[in-house]
Amino acid sequence: MKLYSINTGYFKLDGGAMFGVVPKSIWNKINPADENNLSSWALRCLLIEDGNRLILVDNGNGDKQDAKFFSHYHLHGDDTLDKSLAKYGFHRDDITDAFLTHLHFDHCGGSIIRQGDKLVPAFKNATYWSNEVHWQTATVPNDREKASFLKENILPIKESGRLKFIDVPEDGITTETRISTEIKIRFVYGHTDAMMLPQINYNGKTIVYMADLLPSAGHIPLPYVMAYDMFPLTTLNEKKSFLKEAIEGDYILFFEHDPQFECCNLQQSERGIRAKDFFKLSEI
């Protein structure tokens, strides 16, 4: 097995929304905002080469939305999905599995592309993976979350016939569900219903793709919970449980949105569990 960090660019979100109840005087030291209170965030995906499978975890914003939509998010940087794949000698047609942690636009927007007046899969040889619980949430969204679930990103996946659902465990959370021998799935419910976090056995280490449970290293302290989360107290409890397990198991955290750091491990400090060492995925 080989793992590759795939950066699809950067975008901007309101810093206050990203850090919830934490005051700007504190979070602004972590990820400084511009004059419009916007901070930059990565759109970092994970490519897993597992035997004859090439699994892409999340795929960024994509580029099919109109200029008005993207004007809200200020996409910047030179990285794209195709350029990052090509860096390792891959093409989007090589992807066998498009794993979607959840269906918010910044995680699945690259799933579908426009070809003329049609919306078609961006990965024409891939199976797309979601789960039935989250799919229901995304296709019949609540009023607060519906702006993040764009039907043009989601419905064409099912219409293509390439969608498959991962089984959600009876208790909703165990990590016995797998997509390969070395990849378990963690289910979490604070950010959105049944978000899936791949937990990977790699070179004798456990690596967890954090998606939006911990979008950045700055979100490791327990109170640092996004205002975007549907159930912030659930997120708080999920973080507490995960961080305890992660420090006991010496897990490596891989961050989807951290603009500076790809990975870190953890340590116990006087203030609680915090990041220990920062490093790139390629250094593991």
Side-chain angles (χ1 to χ4, degrees), residues 23-76:
K24 183 178 180 180
S25 58
I26 296 175
W27 66 252
N28 200 51
K29 299 173 184 176
I30 299 170
N31 191 346
D34 65 16
E35 65 277 6
N36 295 313
N37 213 48
L38 300 174
S39 300
S40 287
W41 303 93
L43 293 157
R44 184 180 297 112
C45 310
L46 178 64
L47 187 66
I48 306 170
E49 188 177 10
D50 186 14
N52 60 0
R53 297 174 70 187
L54 199 61
I55 304 167
L56 181 64
V57 181
D58 285 352
N59 50 58
N61 277 320
D63 58 8
K64 67 183 173 299
Q65 310 306 135
D66 60 24
K68 181 179 179 181
F69 175 85
F70 285 125
S71 71
H72 299 301
Y73 301 104
H74 306 276
L75 271 64
H76 55 286

Side-chain angles (χ1 to χ4, degrees), residues 61-270:
N61 277 320
D63 58 8
K64 67 183 173 299
Q65 310 306 135
D66 60 24
K68 181 179 179 181
F69 175 85
F70 285 125
S71 71
H72 299 301
Y73 301 104
H74 306 276
L75 271 64
H76 55 286
D78 296 327
D79 294 308
T80 67
L81 174 63
D82 289 324
K83 285 168 64 174
S84 294
L85 288 172
K87 175 181 173 182
Y88 302 110
F90 298 117
H91 185 273
R92 63 175 60 214
D93 292 351
D94 299 325
I95 304 299
T96 63
D97 300 84
F99 181 93
L100 305 171
T101 62
H102 61 300
L103 295 167
H104 288 167
F105 67 84
D106 55 316
H107 296 258
C108 75
S111 298
I112 298 296
I113 57 174
R114 293 189 186 275
Q115 286 187 347
D117 60 352
K118 294 182 179 180
L119 292 170
V120 300
F123 312 107
K124 66 181 185 181
N125 297 313
T127 297
Y128 287 73
W129 296 97
S130 183
N131 69 73
E132 205 160 4
V133 173
H134 184 67
W135 187 265
Q136 178 68 15
T137 295
T139 54
V140 189
N142 62 68
D143 288 339
R144 185 168 182 265
E145 202 173 6
K146 65 182 181 181
S148 293
F149 291 127
L150 307 182
K151 61 183 180 180
E152 59 267 36
N153 287 338
I154 299 170
L155 298 183
I157 299 175
K158 188 171 185 179
E159 293 164 1
S160 74
R162 294 190 167 275
L163 175 66
K164 288 189 178 181
F165 288 141
I166 291 170
D167 291 335
V168 179
E170 288 187 11
D171 67 0
I173 58 174
T174 57
T175 54
E176 292 310 306
T177 298
R178 297 175 180 266
I179 57 170
S180 84
T181 304
E182 304 298 334
I183 307 172
K184 295 181 178 180
I185 306 302
R186 305 182 69 96
F187 291 85
V188 289
Y189 296 82
H191 179 62
T192 187
D193 257 352
M195 181 168 67
M196 301 187 292
L197 310 181
Q199 180 168 309
I200 306 155
N201 181 19
Y202 181 65
N203 288 347
K205 294 286 188 180
T206 297
I207 300 176
V208 183
Y209 186 86
M210 297 311 307
D212 279 345
L213 177 62
L214 293 174
S216 76
H219 289 84
I220 292 174
L222 291 177
Y224 290 57
V225 173
M226 293 187 291
Y228 296 114
D229 287 13
M230 293 300 101
F231 307 101
L233 290 180
T234 300
T235 295
L236 188 70
N237 288 328
E238 288 170 341
K239 283 176 61 174
K240 187 180 295 186
S241 174
F242 170 77
L243 290 171
K244 180 177 183 294
E245 179 185 336
I247 200 166
E248 290 173 353
D250 194 24
Y251 292 179
I252 292 171
L253 283 52
F254 182 91
F255 299 112
E256 185 160 10
H257 290 312
D258 195 303
Q260 184 176 2
F261 303 115
E262 283 187 12
C263 302
C264 81
N265 52 12
L266 300 169
Q267 63 183 341
Q268 186 70 51
S269 76
E270 293 180 357

